[in-house]
Amino acid sequence: MLFVGLFLLIFLSSTKAVHHVDPYDPVPEDNDADMWRVLYSKLNRLMDESSQLKEIIMDLRQSQNQQINEMQNMLQNAIASNCQPKYLEMRSPQTPEYNRPQAPDYYRPQAADYNRPQAPDYNRPQAPDYNRPQAPDYNRPQAPDYNRPQTPEHNRHPTPEHNSSHTPEHNRRHTPEHNKREWTIILRRMDGSVDFQRNWTDYKHGFGNPDGEFFIGLEKLHTMTTYDGPQELLITLGDWENERRYAKYDLFEIGSEAEQYAMKELGEYSGDAGDALHYHRGMKFSTLDNSNSGHCPQNYGGGWWFNECEDSNLNSAYRKPGELVDLQKVLWSTWKGWDYSLKFAEMKIRSKG
């Protein structure tokens, strides 16, 4: 139909041209043979171009059908394989040891290293009996021995050994097993239940749960280490094989907020975990939003006394076995090296005897 219409159009145009002769028409009016030869030539060229166009359309349709078939094959293969990502097949199962509930004895400081007779101070650091301010054993004003007026020696003030801190709260917590001086926990990491990636305000006032993971707060730490007399520091560490180590310093003092809570004093080291804290002595405290050490908080996580940047960081991200251990981890480099994230970390202070 298309060819017939084109032919009629060309014929009518040619016929019209016959009755209205153009002086420049290459086909004279009186030469019908030449006119029909020209028309036939144009018609043949038109038919050739139409054939080429038809072939192009057929090629496009064939390419489109091929693409549709390929997409259908891909969809069928995906459905047959349940669309499972490859990374699920590559991921190795976790060792059953890490899927078990944590051993309760890990949090009891009765590991063999701390049961040595020469170090009784490191046993039972958080025994609940020592946290009761109303414990009658240590605050018995009504005991008859102390209220007998006929015995002057019972009316004397407590000896300096029982009065190392001059506040009632400290007097109520002294115990004979700890030489009348008890450790106060200022930091604990144990299960990753509390986020330690916090700002300056949170680290200033403290956060977390004192019975679990928590940080006591820089302002309280400054007050305790500055106005309660000289303090000593004990750091208890644990790995994922339930081995425990400790690091003890015979002096520890934190500056005020005006001093950016700098670690002003850190005494002599003793212990079996290695000294990974002296590198930070004298450094100001840094957090994600208040850095005194460049990009250390952003790169290594948490809030710490960074020194370009760290030998230790107990406030960084908590990593469990099987997780990627990058720059952010609970670190004590002198014991487990730079690529190991500890399972347990605890910092405690007490007045020096």
Side-chain angles (χ1 to χ4, degrees):
M1 294 298 294
L2 177 62
F3 298 139
V4 173
L6 290 175
F7 178 78
L8 291 176
L9 179 62
I10 295 171
F11 178 78
L12 291 175
S13 300
S14 302
T15 305
K16 184 178 180 180
V18 171
H19 295 286
H20 302 282
V21 178
D22 189 339
Y24 301 100
D25 191 347
V27 183
E29 180 181 1
D30 55 352
N31 193 349
D32 292 340
D34 292 339
M35 180 185 70
W36 285 107
R37 179 177 55 79
V38 170
L39 291 175
Y40 183 75
S41 176
K42 291 182 179 181
L43 180 60
N44 286 336
R45 186 175 63 182
L46 182 61
M47 292 177 66
D48 292 340
E49 292 178 352
S50 299
S51 299
Q52 294 177 0
L53 180 61
K54 182 177 180 181
E55 292 178 357
I56 292 173
I57 293 174
M58 291 179 65
D59 291 340
L60 291 175
R61 288 180 177 176
Q62 184 177 1
S63 176
Q64 183 179 9
N65 292 334
Q66 184 177 1
Q67 292 179 357
I68 292 174
N69 292 333
E70 291 178 355
M71 292 179 64
Q72 290 177 349
N73 292 333
M74 292 175 62
L75 181 60
Q76 292 176 357
N77 293 334
I79 294 175
S81 61
N82 294 326
C83 299
Q84 293 184 355
K86 293 184 178 180
Y87 75 88
L88 292 178
E89 300 174 0
M90 298 172 60
R91 187 174 60 182
S92 60
Q94 291 182 341
T95 306
E97 178 182 356
Y98 306 126
N99 294 329
R100 301 171 185 170
Q102 293 181 348
D105 60 348
Y106 178 83
Y107 303 110
R108 301 177 190 165
Q110 70 273 21
D113 289 342
Y114 305 100
N115 289 329
R116 293 179 291 183
Q118 66 273 21
D121 293 341
Y122 310 138
N123 296 325
R124 297 176 304 214
Q126 68 276 14
D129 291 341
Y130 310 138
N131 294 328
R132 300 179 190 168
Q134 74 280 9
D137 291 340
Y138 313 118
N139 194 24
R140 292 180 292 179
Q142 74 283 6
D145 290 341
Y146 304 107
N147 293 327
R148 290 185 292 182
Q150 68 277 15
T151 309
E153 64 179 2
H154 295 286
N155 291 327
R156 298 175 185 173
H157 294 289
T159 61
E161 182 183 12
H162 289 76
N163 199 23
S164 59
S165 179
H166 300 289
T167 61
E169 179 183 358
H170 287 79
N171 290 335
R172 287 195 296 265
R173 293 189 297 177
H174 293 314
T175 63
E177 288 92 352
H178 291 83
N179 298 325
K180 312 305 178 184
R181 294 178 296 114
E182 185 192 4
W183 293 102
T184 299
I185 299 175
I186 61 175
L187 179 149
R188 186 189 292 117
R189 307 297 302 278
M190 58 189 291
D191 54 17
S193 59
V194 175
D195 183 12
F196 275 65
Q197 312 307 305
R198 302 205 177 225
N199 57 28
W200 182 266
T201 301
D202 288 344
Y203 271 99
K204 174 182 177 181
H205 298 293
F207 54 87
N209 183 0
D211 294 330
E213 288 200 337
F214 91 111
F215 181 75
I216 196 171
L218 292 167
E219 191 63 28
K220 293 180 182 178
L221 194 56
H222 161 66
T223 301
M224 296 170 67
T225 59
T226 304
Y227 301 106
D228 289 350
Q231 302 285 316
E232 55 185 353
L233 172 66
L234 174 65
I235 298 175
T236 306
L237 307 170
D239 64 9
W240 293 95
E241 291 72 36
N242 290 336
E243 181 181 1
R244 308 191 97 194
R245 298 285 182 92
Y246 76 96
K248 185 180 179 183
Y249 300 88
D250 63 0
L251 186 61
F252 183 63
E253 182 180 351
I254 299 300
S256 64
E257 186 174 18
E259 299 168 308
Q260 297 291 286
Y261 299 116
M263 189 187 300
K264 298 176 63 176
E265 294 290 346
L266 186 66
E268 184 178 355
Y269 159 81
S270 62
D272 55 5
D275 183 7
L277 192 59
H278 254 105
Y279 178 72
H280 302 270
R281 182 178 181 271
M283 303 309 300
K284 298 177 180 179
F285 200 86
S286 294
T287 59
L288 296 175
D289 61 336
N290 185 22
S291 176
N292 292 300
S293 55
H295 295 287
C296 292
Q298 288 77 16
N299 293 337
Y300 293 88
W304 197 248
W305 297 274
F306 292 105
N307 180 13
E308 297 179 352
C309 281
E310 61 179 15
D311 268 354
S312 61
N313 185 357
L314 303 183
N315 287 337
S316 187
Y318 191 89
R319 305 294 186 190
K320 296 182 179 180
E323 294 185 18
L324 175 65
V325 177
D326 54 5
L327 297 178
Q328 298 188 12
K329 52 187 169 293
V330 181
L331 173 69
W332 195 266
S333 63
T334 55
W335 179 26
K336 286 294 185 177
W338 299 94
D339 298 326
Y340 193 97
S341 187
L342 297 174
K343 179 181 181 181
F344 180 82
E346 193 174 74
M347 295 179 66
K348 298 175 284 190
I349 62 173
R350 71 177 182 182
S351 298
K352 295 187 66 175

